[in-house]
Amino acid sequence: MRVHDWFLTAAERGNPATVIDSRHGDGTAWSTGNAVRPLVHGSAYFADLLARVRELREGDLLFFTDWRGDPDERLDGPGTEVAEVFADAARRGVVVKGLLWRSHWDRLRFSSEENRNLGEVIEAAGGEYLRDMRVPPGGSHHQKLVVLRHRDDPRRDIAYVGGIDLCRTRRDDASHGGDPQAAPMAKVYGPRPPWHDVQVALQGPVVGDVEAVFRERWTDPKPLTRNPVHRLADLLRHDDTHADPLPPQSPDPPACGPHAVQLLRTYPQRRSRYAFAPEGEHSVARGYLKALRRARSLIYIEDQYLWSPQVAASFAEALRAHPELLMIGVLPLHPDQDGLIAGTPQVLGRQQALSVLKEAGGDRVAVYGIENHQGTPVYVHAKVCIVDDTWMTVGSDNFNRRSWTYDSELTCAILDGTRDPREPRDPGGHGDGARRQPRELRLALAREHLDRDDGDDDGLLDPRAFFDAYAAAAAALERWHAGGRRGPRPAGRLRLHEPGPLPPWTAALATPLYRMLCDPDGRPRAMRRADAY
């Protein structure tokens, strides 16, 4: 496999100020020799993280960033609250450093207080946290990473990257009964919302790359906030607003696996520039666009927010260019919040994006939601893309303009040097063939959605058969629901995502005024070709 056919070169990343590429020495914009392990569901990720943090000892490192962190969220039952687990590590002499998005008021259903409270517990134990508001107006720090480095045994170093925050509602499993510690959502998801999500555990040289992402943000010399009200409040509360120096970065961990990993990021262009991205960085968008140009057989995505017609147009170009290309999307069936202001723009934005895809691909595009066995919709929060079972991503970005232009994001693009022995031919026709891990992640997700046992991949390897298996399962479940749920429930959890026509008063919002005031993407600037290519 020619890695540079799929991954961005350093020049294609478009950000010469970052160390993320220059640190490799040979000029490559990725690392090789890694072991990547997908962790599907928050319960799997939290249990893995808990075990690894408890192993840390004096002089080891624990660095993390988060969009939201709830101090009382349990990683695995009573006594495993996030704040206490991280604080215990600090008390053992572990160097604990956290960057949390400062966020907006809790009364707007954001997480300002939770993020401050988590940091206060960590600081009281000897760690350090910073509430980082170095974003444009209306933007957020959306990266979710944890880095664990071991002073005496770098072979145990590990990093986690993906879509899962250290907060309430995330600790669900394959049964999708929901996290016992729930956060408010739209009523259709019930009092304990089911949650579907994915993280990856990374070992090998890529851990050094993830640490470098943290260090660039930590050492940014700009003030944490330019808001004078926030700065006064921090002064009165004696909050930490200046980052202490970090210990020198250790050499990267040794190679330990067959995976090449490229870290893709979004940083907006700000008036108060990032030292490590003075013109911003849009390698998330650029990375997708380069890979989509190679798509030939199947694009499979699971995503929280497919809102943007501009982002959907990138997939539409691939569908138009290759008449055999299929696309499946798994998205939330309903917005995360109720109401005209919170929910309606999401519905409108998604309809606009899906119409772009359907116009380009017709019946080669299928979009589904999922429900649990009780019939409650499952909120899809995963951010996964798999192209031709060859190239895959897991990260924090969604398929919208916020993630591609405005918020800070971190995503892992992954190539596996191991061919899948079950499929010797090349399903994409580009000479690279199906790779073991991208295919296995697609099949693992499919087995869950289709209610199949581990290893039951009959009819799922071939892209067209896979496409048809999803359609058949969703159709059977639709018939069962339409028939009053009489008789045994058919296997599978897929529901066809067909939002249908909007009421006239709602459709009337899809006007220039709506796009100015109620765009679900919020404040981001329009995408320009210079941003994305």
Side-chain angles (χ1 to χ4, degrees):
M1 175 182 290
R2 301 201 316 169
V3 176
H4 62 268
D5 285 343
W6 292 92
F7 284 174
L8 300 175
T9 65
E12 289 170 334
R13 183 185 294 274
N15 179 17
T18 181
V19 303
I20 199 71
D21 300 329
S22 61
R23 65 184 305 276
H24 293 135
D26 59 359
T28 58
W30 57 82
S31 63
T32 58
N34 303 297
V36 180
R37 182 165 44 97
L39 299 170
V40 182
H41 309 305
S43 61
Y45 168 44
F46 284 176
D48 204 272
L49 176 65
L50 174 65
R52 296 284 187 161
V53 172
R54 283 178 166 171
E55 293 174 351
L56 296 174
R57 295 294 177 261
E58 183 177 358
D60 295 342
L61 305 182
L62 190 169
F63 296 161
F64 71 100
T65 72
D66 217 347
W67 178 82
R68 173 173 177 143
D70 286 332
D72 62 345
E73 172 64 13
R74 294 172 176 174
L75 297 176
D76 191 19
T80 66
E81 291 76 13
V82 171
E84 287 306 315
V85 170
F86 284 13
D88 283 346
R91 285 189 282 266
R92 295 195 301 271
V94 177
V95 179
V96 179
K97 306 284 187 182
L99 282 167
L100 288 90
W101 177 45
R102 187 182 186 107
S103 191
H104 307 309
W105 290 339
D106 282 35
R107 69 189 66 177
L108 298 177
R109 293 194 172 180
F110 284 97
S111 44
S112 175
E113 290 302 312
E114 288 78 6
N115 288 358
R116 183 164 63 85
N117 294 341
L118 173 60
E120 287 174 345
V121 175
I122 292 171
E123 287 220 327
E128 185 179 11
Y129 89 108
L130 301 175
R131 290 193 297 155
D132 190 354
M133 201 63 175
R134 291 172 290 201
V135 293
S140 74
H141 279 302
H142 198 239
Q143 296 175 340
K144 308 133 197 309
L145 69 87
V146 178
V147 177
L148 310 179
R149 301 294 306 264
H150 300 77
R151 183 180 61 181
D152 298 326
D153 190 358
R155 294 171 300 176
R156 296 165 59 202
D157 291 349
I158 190 168
Y160 301 93
V161 173
I164 305 179
D165 301 279
L166 301 171
C167 70
R168 291 183 171 226
T169 307
R170 272 52 169 181
R171 187 165 61 93
D172 202 355
D173 56 28
S175 68
H176 288 309
D179 188 337
Q181 297 173 276
M185 289 183 63
K187 292 179 182 178
V188 70
Y189 292 104
R192 188 168 156 176
W195 194 271
H196 178 71
D197 223 328
V198 181
Q199 201 88 348
V200 285
L202 308 166
Q203 292 184 274
V206 68
V207 174
D209 290 346
V210 181
E211 182 181 348
V213 172
F214 178 90
R215 286 174 176 269
E216 284 188 330
R217 278 184 56 190
W218 184 269
T219 58
D220 187 344
K222 300 295 190 300
L224 291 173
T225 176
R226 299 170 64 191
N227 186 314
V229 176
H230 288 168
R231 297 177 81 165
L232 177 60
D234 292 343
L235 180 65
L236 294 175
R237 282 197 297 254
H238 304 288
D239 281 355
D240 191 358
T241 60
H242 296 90
D244 291 344
L246 297 173
Q249 182 164 354
S250 301
D252 290 349
C256 60
H259 303 130
V261 182
Q262 179 167 62
L263 298 186
L264 304 175
R265 306 182 300 181
T266 300
Y267 289 115
Q269 185 176 5
R270 300 172 63 226
R271 183 173 302 173
S272 179
R273 298 183 172 193
Y274 296 114
F276 51 86
E279 303 300 324
E281 180 176 321
H282 301 97
S283 56
V284 165
R286 294 177 178 215
Y288 279 115
L289 291 166
K290 183 169 184 174
L292 289 175
R293 286 195 289 269
R294 295 184 63 78
R296 299 293 185 272
S297 61
L298 177 65
I299 300 170
Y300 181 83
I301 68 169
E302 296 194 355
D303 197 65
Q304 177 189 13
Y305 294 142
L306 180 60
W307 280 346
S308 170
Q310 295 95 330
V311 173
S314 304
F315 293 87
E317 288 178 11
L319 289 164
R320 290 192 185 95
H322 302 287
E324 300 301 316
L325 179 62
L326 305 171
M327 180 174 178
I328 289 179
V330 177
L331 311 172
L333 285 165
H334 305 280
D336 53 353
Q337 300 295 336
D338 292 320
L340 175 65
I341 300 300
T344 301
Q346 295 188 30
V347 175
L348 286 167
R350 179 162 295 160
Q351 284 207 359
Q352 291 171 344
L354 295 184
S355 68
V356 171
L357 295 174
K358 287 288 190 177
E359 182 181 354
D363 60 6
R364 293 181 289 126
V365 177
V367 181
Y368 303 95
I370 51 178
E371 66 179 25
N372 64 18
H373 290 157
Q374 290 71 48
T376 304
V378 176
Y379 191 70
V380 178
H381 191 261
K383 299 93 167 59
V384 171
C385 182
I386 303 170
V387 175
D388 292 350
D389 286 348
T390 303
W391 176 93
M392 68 180 242
T393 59
V394 177
S396 68
D397 72 280
N398 296 295
F399 291 120
N400 59 16
R401 284 190 296 126
R402 292 196 66 88
S403 287
W404 281 28
T405 69
Y406 210 69
D407 292 344
S408 70
E409 304 285 3
L410 177 65
T411 287
C412 295
I414 300 157
L415 291 170
D416 189 344
T418 308
R419 286 182 179 269
D420 188 324
R422 295 169 292 182
E423 186 61 62
R425 69 183 183 87
D426 177 8
H430 37 56
D432 293 322
R435 299 288 152 164
R436 176 173 291 172
Q437 190 181 78
R439 170 164 281 177
E440 181 50 41
L441 178 58
R442 175 174 68 83
L443 295 177
L445 295 169
R447 288 192 293 266
E448 177 184 320
H449 301 331
L450 297 173
D451 281 331
R452 295 196 182 194
D453 296 331
D454 287 347
D456 181 5
D457 301 327
D458 184 43
L460 300 182
L461 297 184
D462 177 74
R464 170 51 72 175
F466 176 78
F467 190 90
D468 292 343
Y470 265 45
L477 192 53
E478 291 297 332
R479 289 193 298 270
W480 183 74
H481 278 287
R485 303 187 183 190
R486 290 189 295 270
R489 177 189 170 95
R493 313 179 193 188
L494 294 165
R495 302 296 305 273
L496 192 63
H497 199 300
E498 291 287 358
L502 292 167
W505 63 269
T506 305
L509 291 176
T511 64
L513 179 63
Y514 152 74
R515 287 191 290 271
M516 182 175 68
L517 298 178
C518 300
D519 188 330
D521 277 333
R523 294 291 301 277
R525 303 177 182 91
M527 287 177 57
R528 304 187 303 273
R529 294 188 70 86
D531 289 335
Y533 288 86

